[in-house]
Amino acid sequence: MIGFSALALAFLLACFLTLDLQLAQFLSPQAAASMGAFVAEFFPPERSPVFLRKVLLAGWETLAMSALGTLLAALFGLALALPAARLHPDDRAHAQAPTRLLLNALRSVPELVWAALLLISAGLGPFAGTLALCLHTTGVLGRLFAEALENAPPGPAQALRVQGVDEDRILLWATLPQLLPQLLSYTLYRWENNIRAAAVLGVVGAGGLGQMLSFHLGLFHMPKTATILLAMLLMVGLVDATSWLARRWLTR
């Protein structure tokens, strides 16, 4: 334990020494004054009805991207979790290794990189962003779902198995009903993350609030940028609260 702690401290120290952090310059009065002047340019936020309508439509686009991407990922993730899991001790699970390799590959590529790649084939707009969220989240949920399937209480499934019930019906009537609240909780949590990711994906042209943010920030339209940032914060907060309440209800 002492040796591990010493190695961890040495690693952290090496990280600080190899990075040019320039903390003195960052904390200098000149940097604080420059940051204060920059932040002051955001006020007051843009409040014209025409612009607010554009922000509302872009926010809805971002919300739709995250919801549809998460829904598709949950379906594909469950489909891939079945061959990626060993459902009982006698299960040979021949497809477990290649399926888990596929899930690892999908989630190892960040959503922003997926979006940049898919823009070539899908073009600018929310379609590429939705596909990017779907691919990355499929890898994440597929692995979580597979772990949940392997750790499901074996009693109900084994009781049906000794009665000669086939594996498909055991999965449908014994395993999945036990895991449904947990699977829905995982899905809702990933939806929270995808709201934030969808807002960022627009920076590469994948639509929604992120695309508006990239455009107006690039032109130094600071009041409009402030309104977009406030809309992002409001939307993420509402979705987080809704998802948290739903997960509390499912797991109580």
Side-chain angles (χ1 to χ4, degrees):
M1 185 63 183
I2 297 177
F4 176 79
S5 300
L7 287 175
L9 291 174
F11 174 73
L12 291 175
L13 180 61
C15 291
F16 277 104
L17 293 176
T18 54
L19 294 177
D20 187 17
L21 297 178
Q22 300 181 0
L23 292 178
Q25 183 177 349
F26 177 74
L27 299 175
S28 66
Q30 182 180 358
S34 299
M35 182 58 68
F38 177 72
V39 172
E41 295 179 4
F42 287 88
F43 296 95
E46 178 66 40
R47 291 173 291 179
S48 65
V50 175
F51 185 73
L52 291 178
R53 183 175 180 275
K54 291 180 180 179
V55 172
L56 183 62
L57 292 175
W60 171 253
E61 192 172 77
T62 298
L63 184 66
M65 285 169 53
S66 65
L68 183 57
T70 305
L71 176 62
L72 293 174
L75 296 176
F76 293 141
L78 182 59
L80 290 173
L82 296 176
R86 190 181 300 275
L87 300 179
H88 55 88
D90 296 329
D91 186 6
R92 295 182 179 273
H94 295 295
Q96 184 180 37
T99 307
R100 293 210 171 198
L101 182 62
L102 173 61
L103 293 174
N104 290 339
L106 289 174
R107 74 172 183 273
S108 65
V109 180
E111 301 95 331
L112 197 62
V113 178
W114 275 123
L117 294 173
L118 290 167
L119 286 173
I120 300 173
S121 58
L124 295 173
F127 183 48
T130 303
L131 291 178
L133 291 174
C134 175
L135 289 173
H136 178 80
T137 309
T138 295
V140 175
L141 289 181
R143 183 58 185 267
L144 290 174
F145 289 174
E147 297 292 339
L149 287 170
E150 289 188 341
N151 294 321
Q158 186 62 26
L160 294 178
R161 193 170 289 114
V162 297
Q163 297 296 324
V165 179
D166 61 85
E167 292 297 329
D168 292 338
R169 292 185 179 181
I170 292 175
L171 178 68
L172 185 62
W173 298 110
T175 305
L176 288 181
Q178 296 180 92
L179 299 178
L180 186 58
Q182 186 178 1
L183 302 185
L184 288 175
S185 179
Y186 285 149
T187 304
L188 289 171
Y189 179 70
R190 284 305 307 179
W191 184 38
E192 294 177 25
N193 295 332
N194 284 344
I195 283 285
R196 291 181 281 271
V200 175
L201 291 182
V203 174
V204 296
L209 286 172
Q211 190 164 335
M212 285 190 71
L213 177 66
S214 178
F215 175 77
H216 290 290
L217 187 59
L219 296 177
F220 297 99
H221 295 164
M222 295 311 179
K224 293 183 177 180
T225 300
T227 301
I228 297 169
L229 290 174
L230 289 173
M232 285 182 174
L233 292 173
L234 179 62
M235 183 177 62
V236 170
L238 289 175
V239 170
D240 283 356
T242 303
S243 177
W244 181 79
L245 290 174
R247 286 187 285 114
R248 282 286 302 271
W249 180 75
L250 288 170
T251 57
R252 64 181 180 180

